[in-house]
Amino acid sequence: MSAVAPTDVRPDPPVRPEAEPDLSLREFGYQQELHRSLGRYASFAAGFSFISVLTTVFQFFAVGYAFGGPVFFWAWPAVLTGQLLVAACFAELAARYPISGAIYQWSTRLSTPSFGWFAGWIMVIGQVVVVAAAALALQMVMPPIWSGFQLIGDDPSPLSPSGAANAAVLGAVLLLLTTLVNVLDNRLMSVINRVGVTAEIIGAVLIAILLFTHSERTPGITFHTGGTEAGLLGALLVGSFTAAYVLIGFDSAGEMSEETRDPRRTAPRTVLTALGAAGVLGGLLVLGGLLAAPSLTDGRLAVDGLSYVLTSSLGDGIGRALLVDVVVAIAVATLAIQTAGCRMLFSMARDGRLPCSGLLSRVNPRTGMPTAPALVVGVLAAALLLLNFASPDAFLAIGTTCIVMLYLAYSMVTGPMLLRRLRGEYAPRTDAVDERGEPLFSLGRWGVPVNALALVYGLFMTVNLAWPRAAVYDPTGGHWYFRWFAVLFVGATVALGAAYRLRRGRTENA
């Protein structure tokens, strides 16, 4: 596979101290264009800010509780365990292939160019949906801070018509800002990520401590379903949506490999530490919210989620101050997710495998940023926000669809990886070793069982998330397309990709 088409060869960008040529990158057929300025903490911040435990827990806590009751907490450690299996596989690949467009690059090298293309295509569309979903999270925290942020109507619930419309407006403003940052300079983006992640970690720890010190009940409440009609198994399956939505995006450390110093050592560790830190903090927030909620039966926890717990249990002053920190986390998360999507588009376009590849693969030599991908991801995510004006049910449809897309793309990496292992074709790369000849990160003899469990878990969760449950996706009835939204969206994505590849094949053969 050639990295740059002969008709699209561009001179090397001016060499800066943070953009020294990387020999391992050249070995893969690419020239260093993105500025290599990210250290270990910045790499960690890329993965952690995509996960953004404050953003996602505050956004989906109410959903998990509404359908699972208190017992939905136990879905958290189950999902975390499954995702750690996937992350361990990705950590190995991050050491082998430190290239932007991680999912696309890994799947391509483990399987075939066509299969890898579809993995990248599904992933990048999924990332666009995640950007939109993250931007919608502002509705969960900004109106509780100040009623003036409710620009449309007077009902701030994201499941109400006015709340859903207002969420789209707030989200569009945020996307405008994140797109601007993604165009300016990767050093500015890195600073924002690091500062934002630091503030998020401090805020998450503080919120967890305050929630536990204001407990109203014992942890034994987590063994109750809260009277949900789905029963224990159903409560856990649907309740797992919260954890599944939170614990994605850890592969972003791999996405930023071409901008990370010493990526073979750094990226594998930050993939695992970002997920581990988010998993622990998120679990504490969920448990603390259940213990500190003023009431588990008044219905507010299933509508307003953790925002209700903070302002009710900690008082308006402290509660609103902490919600400001959540707003920062949401903004940084949206920025990080959009950045990951940009790198995926850039990586695929650099191989000439997307429409307008020449434009999408162009890097501004001064800023080190691919400008066109940032604009594309921002505009497409903003367009998805328009669904919120059609129906409040779009909130959940968009959120779960993005998880399905990412879980499917992840499985398109762990699947071929397992086949390679079983065929004995997954020998350690000689360049992914340290000075003693030891692999920088390797699962060793645990590779096959960990890989197999990661694949089974990923496929199971993909089906679980996409299952067209009427009570979840179309509770008011009359919107069959929201009930089947995940299935239809994935099908349309694959069909559109197949049509493009077929048309391109005909053009090339003409």
Side-chain angles (χ1 to χ4, degrees):
M1 178 183 357
S2 63
V4 182
T7 58
D8 191 33
V9 175
R10 298 182 298 278
D12 288 342
V15 176
R16 306 184 346 169
E18 65 268 29
E20 291 294 337
D22 179 58
L23 296 180
S24 64
L25 186 59
R26 289 186 180 277
E27 177 192 344
F28 294 116
Y30 302 116
Q31 59 183 338
Q32 184 71 50
E33 294 184 280
L34 303 176
H35 293 171
R36 196 175 289 281
S37 60
L38 306 183
R40 182 173 298 180
Y41 188 70
S43 176
F44 166 82
F48 189 90
S49 56
F50 190 123
I51 300 171
S52 188
V53 64
L54 284 184
T55 300
T56 46
V57 169
F58 271 80
Q59 187 176 13
F60 262 64
F61 181 97
V63 174
Y65 185 82
F67 293 102
V71 78
F72 95 97
F73 165 78
W74 293 106
W76 191 276
V79 171
L80 175 59
T81 300
Q83 290 294 68
L84 282 171
L85 296 172
V86 177
C89 295
F90 285 5
E92 268 197 341
L93 294 171
R96 285 171 169 250
Y97 309 112
I99 315 172
S100 291
I103 299 299
Y104 156 69
Q105 295 285 354
W106 297 342
S107 183
T108 297
R109 284 165 170 74
L110 291 169
S111 57
T112 66
S114 293
F115 190 84
W117 186 91
F118 274 103
W121 174 248
I122 291 171
M123 184 68 182
V124 75
I125 299 299
Q127 286 170 326
V128 170
V129 184
V130 179
V131 173
L136 290 174
L138 284 179
Q139 183 63 24
M140 296 297 296
V141 291
M142 291 190 73
I145 294 174
W146 179 48
S147 60
F149 288 125
Q150 185 65 35
L151 305 173
I152 299 176
D154 55 6
D155 188 349
S157 170
L159 300 180
S160 69
S162 61
N166 195 70
V169 173
L170 295 178
V173 174
L174 177 57
L175 286 174
L176 178 63
L177 297 175
T178 58
T179 301
L180 180 62
V181 173
N182 259 305
V183 168
L184 292 178
D185 194 291
N186 76 333
R187 291 175 298 180
L188 173 62
M189 178 197 68
S190 175
V191 169
I192 293 175
N193 265 342
R194 284 178 288 164
V195 172
V197 165
T198 301
E200 179 172 5
I201 292 175
I202 294 173
V205 171
L206 182 58
I207 290 173
I209 292 173
L210 289 173
L211 289 175
F212 279 106
T213 56
H214 288 74
S215 294
E216 298 284 343
R217 55 195 63 84
T218 67
I221 192 65
T222 59
F223 293 98
H224 299 275
T225 62
T228 57
E229 299 179 0
L232 179 59
L233 180 59
L236 288 172
L237 289 177
V238 182
S240 66
F241 286 17
T242 300
Y245 182 74
V246 175
L247 301 175
I248 55 174
F250 45 86
D251 54 293
S252 289
E255 290 283 5
M256 305 299 289
S257 287
E258 290 184 32
E259 294 155 88
T260 303
R261 294 187 290 268
D262 195 12
R264 292 189 188 278
R265 290 180 179 275
T266 301
R269 289 163 176 77
T270 51
V271 164
L272 291 169
T273 54
L275 177 60
V280 171
L281 280 176
L284 292 175
L285 288 174
V286 171
L287 180 59
L290 291 171
L291 300 184
S295 172
L296 298 179
T297 58
D298 64 359
R300 292 197 60 186
L301 198 59
V303 175
D304 301 321
L306 278 184
S307 298
Y308 153 68
V309 179
L310 284 188
T311 54
S312 300
S313 300
L314 306 181
D316 280 348
I318 296 178
R320 289 177 180 174
L322 292 173
L323 288 179
V324 171
D325 188 61
V326 179
V327 171
V328 173
I330 293 171
V332 173
T334 306
L335 172 64
I337 300 166
Q338 185 174 5
T339 302
C342 293
R343 298 307 178 268
M344 181 68 74
L345 273 178
F346 163 75
S347 184
M348 296 182 72
R350 180 173 56 181
D351 287 347
R353 310 198 72 189
L354 289 175
C356 304
S357 287
L359 178 63
L360 291 172
S361 63
R362 188 169 299 140
V363 176
N364 186 316
R366 181 183 62 82
T367 65
M369 304 287 272
T371 302
L375 297 174
V376 170
V377 174
V379 170
L380 291 179
L384 276 174
L385 297 182
L386 297 177
L387 288 173
N388 257 36
F389 288 99
S391 170
D393 292 337
F395 170 79
L396 190 56
I398 291 174
T400 52
T401 297
C402 71
I403 321 173
V404 171
M405 298 285 284
L406 265 62
Y407 266 77
L408 180 58
Y410 287 175
S411 297
M412 294 177 75
V413 173
T414 55
M417 189 180 189
L418 179 60
L419 288 177
R420 286 268 183 148
R421 290 186 192 276
L422 295 176
R423 293 172 180 169
E425 300 172 354
Y426 192 76
R429 283 179 56 95
T430 57
D431 57 353
V433 297
D434 60 19
E435 59 278 2
R436 295 172 298 177
E438 297 294 328
L440 293 178
F441 185 90
S442 175
L443 294 174
R445 62 182 180 178
W446 293 99
V448 171
V450 168
N451 198 162
L453 289 172
L455 177 60
V456 170
Y457 160 78
L459 293 176
F460 171 79
M461 284 299 295
T462 300
V463 173
N464 176 43
L465 293 163
W467 200 263
R469 300 175 175 91
V472 176
Y473 298 118
D474 188 23
T476 58
H479 299 94
W480 65 269
Y481 44 87
F482 281 129
R483 177 179 177 182
W484 292 89
F485 191 83
V487 177
L488 293 172
F489 195 91
V490 171
T493 298
V494 173
L496 182 61
Y500 165 71
R501 288 185 59 80
L502 180 62
R503 180 176 179 275
R504 180 183 173 181
R506 288 176 176 172
T507 301
E508 291 177 347
N509 294 329

